[in-house]
Amino acid sequence: MSDMAFRIEAVRARIRAAAQAAGRDPAGIRLVGVSKTHPVEAVHAAFAAGLVDFGENRVQELVPKMEAGPPGAVWHMIGTLQTNKIRHLAGRVDWIHSVPGAAALHEISKRAVAHGRTIRVLLQVNISGEGTKSGCEPDELPALVAAAAGLPGVDLRGLMGMAAPADDPETVRPQFALLRQLRDRHLSPAHELSMGMSHDLEAAIAEGATMVRVGTAIFGERDYLQT
Ligand SMILES: *Cc1c(COP(=O)(O)O)cnc(C)c1O
């Protein structure tokens, strides 16, 4: 087994264990490998080891990786979304997790329709209560859900959130629980919950995550000076 295959399997084992502890089917949890700052060769290696879903947090990194990556990869935009950059993504991206508001929804719709595509989107919600975190506020959700319902080319599939960094991820479980409650109230239990990263995926799965976004545990530490 390659190092890459070994690390992916280790993350899948964590997902299985967390699902089992929560009485959930691990097949209901999609692993999105966050390849940001790592070269496209790492994406090819991970794809060869069986990983299909890849996430990036910057448009200028996602676009070239979508072009040079494996043709069968499923691509997720997970980072802060600037409305004026959506047109660069719309021809290829499969999921956008980080939709912060109505302007972005309208732009995704317009650009997806121009490409004859439908893009799956998640509304990002500020669950950490930190001013610096992007995403809408919980009380904006009803209006955004209603707006998405009327837009062609946009398939609203659920919610995304990031918990505050914490030494003990158990302490941020209430933030994940909040996202689940918001989903159940404003969408349905069948909708997606994108939450959980390398250090807190167990807590997120315990609270119902259906997509976990894992970078470091698969690709290793990031060296931001390289990018
Ligand atoms: C970088 C990033 C991740 C992955 O973080 P790790 O701690 O490396 O697993 C997940 N979600 C978002 C939005 C990110 O930017």
Side-chain angles (χ1 to χ4, degrees), residues 34 36 57 78 160 162 197-199 213-216 222:
V34 179
K36 65 191 187 198
N57 70 333
I78 62 171
M160 180 269 220
M162 281 174 90
M197 319 199 300
S198 291
H199 72 288
R213 309 177 310 268
V214 178
T216 313
R222 288 180 287 273

Coordinates of all heavy atoms in Angstrom, one line a residue, residues 34 36 57 78 160 162 197-199 213-216 222, ligand 1:
V34 N -9.2 17.4 1.0 CA -8.9 18.8 0.8 C -7.4 19.0 0.4 O -6.5 18.9 1.2 CB -9.2 19.7 2.0 CG1 -8.8 21.2 1.7 CG2 -10.7 19.6 2.4
K36 N -5.7 21.5 -1.0 CA -5.2 22.9 -1.1 C -3.7 22.9 -0.7 O -3.3 22.3 0.3 CB -6.0 23.8 -0.2 CG -5.9 23.6 1.3 CD -7.0 24.4 2.0 CE -6.7 24.3 3.5 NZ -7.9 24.7 4.3
N57 N -10.0 25.6 -1.5 CA -10.7 26.7 -0.9 C -10.4 28.0 -1.6 O -10.9 29.1 -1.2 CB -10.3 26.9 0.6 CG -8.8 27.2 0.8 OD1 -8.0 26.9 -0.1 ND2 -8.5 27.9 1.9
I78 N -14.8 24.9 -1.4 CA -15.2 24.9 0.0 C -14.8 26.2 0.7 O -15.0 26.4 1.9 CB -14.5 23.7 0.8 CG1 -13.0 23.8 0.7 CG2 -15.0 22.4 0.2 CD1 -12.3 22.8 1.6
M160 N -23.4 23.9 5.2 CA -22.0 23.7 5.6 C -21.6 24.6 6.7 O -22.1 25.7 6.8 CB -21.1 24.0 4.4 CG -19.6 23.8 4.5 SD -18.7 25.3 5.1 CE -17.3 25.2 4.1
M162 N -18.2 25.5 9.8 CA -16.9 25.2 10.4 C -16.9 25.6 11.8 O -17.3 26.7 12.2 CB -15.8 26.1 9.7 CG -15.4 25.6 8.4 SD -14.3 26.8 7.6 CE -12.7 26.3 8.3
M197 N -13.4 18.3 10.1 CA -12.1 18.3 9.4 C -11.2 17.3 10.0 O -11.6 16.5 10.8 CB -11.6 19.8 9.4 CG -12.7 20.8 9.2 SD -12.1 22.5 8.7 CE -11.0 22.9 10.1
S198 N -9.9 17.4 9.7 CA -9.0 16.4 10.2 C -9.1 16.2 11.8 O -9.1 15.1 12.2 CB -7.5 16.8 9.9 OG -7.3 16.7 8.5
H199 N -9.2 17.3 12.5 CA -9.1 17.1 14.0 C -10.4 17.0 14.6 O -10.5 16.6 15.8 CB -8.3 18.4 14.6 CG -9.2 19.6 14.5 ND1 -9.4 20.3 13.3 CD2 -9.8 20.3 15.5 CE1 -10.2 21.3 13.6 NE2 -10.5 21.3 14.9
R213 N -14.6 17.2 5.4 CA -13.6 17.8 4.5 C -12.2 17.7 5.2 O -11.9 18.3 6.2 CB -13.9 19.3 4.3 CG -15.4 19.5 3.9 CD -15.7 21.0 3.8 NE -15.3 21.7 5.0 CZ -16.1 22.0 6.0 NH1 -17.3 21.6 6.0 NH2 -15.6 22.6 7.1
V214 N -11.4 16.7 4.7 CA -10.2 16.3 5.4 C -9.0 16.6 4.6 O -8.8 16.1 3.5 CB -10.3 14.9 5.8 CG1 -9.0 14.4 6.5 CG2 -11.5 14.6 6.7
G215 N -8.1 17.5 5.1 CA -6.9 17.9 4.4 C -5.7 17.3 5.0 O -5.1 16.3 4.4
T216 N -5.2 17.8 6.1 CA -4.0 17.4 6.7 C -3.8 15.9 6.9 O -2.8 15.3 6.7 CB -3.8 18.1 8.1 OG1 -4.1 19.5 7.9 CG2 -2.4 18.0 8.6
R222 N 0.4 21.5 5.6 CA 0.5 22.5 4.5 C 1.6 23.5 4.7 O 1.8 23.9 5.8 CB -0.8 23.3 4.3 CG -2.0 22.4 3.8 CD -3.2 23.2 3.7 NE -3.8 23.5 5.0 CZ -4.7 22.7 5.6 NH1 -5.0 21.6 5.1 NH2 -5.2 23.0 6.8
Ligands
LIG1 C1 -8.5 23.5 4.8 C2 -9.9 23.3 5.0 C3 -10.3 22.0 5.5 C4 -9.4 20.9 5.9 O1 -8.7 21.2 7.0 P1 -7.7 20.1 7.7 O2 -7.6 20.5 9.1 O3 -6.4 20.1 7.0 O4 -8.4 18.8 7.6 C5 -11.7 21.9 5.6 N1 -12.6 22.8 5.3 C6 -12.2 24.0 4.8 C7 -13.2 25.0 4.5 C8 -10.8 24.3 4.7 O5 -10.5 25.5 4.2

